Amino acid sequence: MTITQRIGRRLNELRSSRGLSLEALAHRSGVSRSNISLIERGQSSPTAVVLDKLSSALGVSVASIFEETPVTDAPSPLIRVAEQPVWDDPASGYRRRNVSPAGVSPLQLVEVLFPPGQRLMFETSERDVDIHQLVWMIDGVMEIVHGSEQWKLNPGDCLAMRLNAPIQFHNPGAESARYLVALTGAKT
């Protein structure tokens, strides 16, 4: 199964479990019904901005959209690197890898590789759930704007944010930036 198909299946599971029609999710998220349908059928790879809008409307983190639904009542506490879903944003080229096993912990870990010169804006602000994230810089540099606050992160720096305001990520450097995002508070 491709990552696009995996995203589509998971999006459909999340929407269905909340009793939302395509029309209702479109209204809540601001993403067209036809675009959601294409994504759910695995015929379109959404951008990071679209995933942010959909996850906000569903009350989950973006990382939750990449998780596999456990096929047993007892999900495995181990996920091997080869099994960790990797996705490239078709608009900015940023790459994310869900590191944590699904359904085991309220904490989600995501590794991000962000291309030089790229900028990404998540306009979604308030969510139905209280999601907190930490961004820990490993390599490179990132400029992050959260609401009206702005920071420049260098290797080793760690920034804590609540996902309650628009967020902009920008890599002003000449090299790719690599960082780890830890999320908590998201329901699945």
Side-chain angles (χ1 to χ4, degrees), residues 41-167:
R41 292 192 319 258
Q43 296 176 341
S44 175
S45 181
T47 65
V49 171
V50 167
L51 286 177
D52 181 61
K53 290 178 180 182
L54 292 169
S55 67
S56 179
L58 291 165
V60 299
S61 68
V62 172
S64 295
I65 292 178
F66 293 90
E67 290 184 342
E68 278 286 334
T69 303
V71 291
T72 65
D73 290 336
S76 175
L78 174 66
I79 185 168
R80 303 279 183 196
V81 69
E83 300 166 343
Q84 296 169 2
V86 176
W87 175 78
D88 295 312
D89 177 23
S92 67
Y94 101 91
R95 173 171 282 182
R96 63 178 291 129
R97 180 170 59 98
N98 272 36
V99 177
S100 47
V104 177
S105 169
L107 179 66
Q108 297 171 318
L109 296 177
V110 178
E111 179 188 44
V112 176
L113 189 62
F114 207 98
Q118 289 297 314
R119 186 179 310 265
L120 186 58
M121 175 71 176
F122 295 116
E123 297 177 13
T124 306
S125 53
E126 280 299 323
R127 296 174 185 258
D128 292 339
V129 293
D130 198 23
I131 300 175
H132 294 264
Q133 75 175 14
L134 296 172
V135 176
W136 180 52
M137 287 302 300
I138 299 169
D139 296 310
V141 63
M142 287 295 291
E143 294 175 346
I144 299 176
V145 178
H146 178 249
S148 61
E149 297 185 77
Q150 181 174 348
W151 299 274
K152 184 174 184 178
L153 278 64
N154 293 297
D157 293 345
C158 186
L159 174 64
M161 296 179 284
R162 183 172 163 248
L163 297 185
N164 64 348
I167 301 174

Side-chain angles (χ1 to χ4, degrees), residues 9-30:
R9 185 175 72 190
R10 181 68 172 144
L11 181 61
N12 181 271
E13 289 171 358
L14 290 166
R15 180 179 62 77
S16 297
S17 72
R18 284 150 178 79
L20 295 173
S21 65
L22 284 171
E23 195 65 41
L25 181 56
H27 178 74
R28 283 177 131 184
S29 67

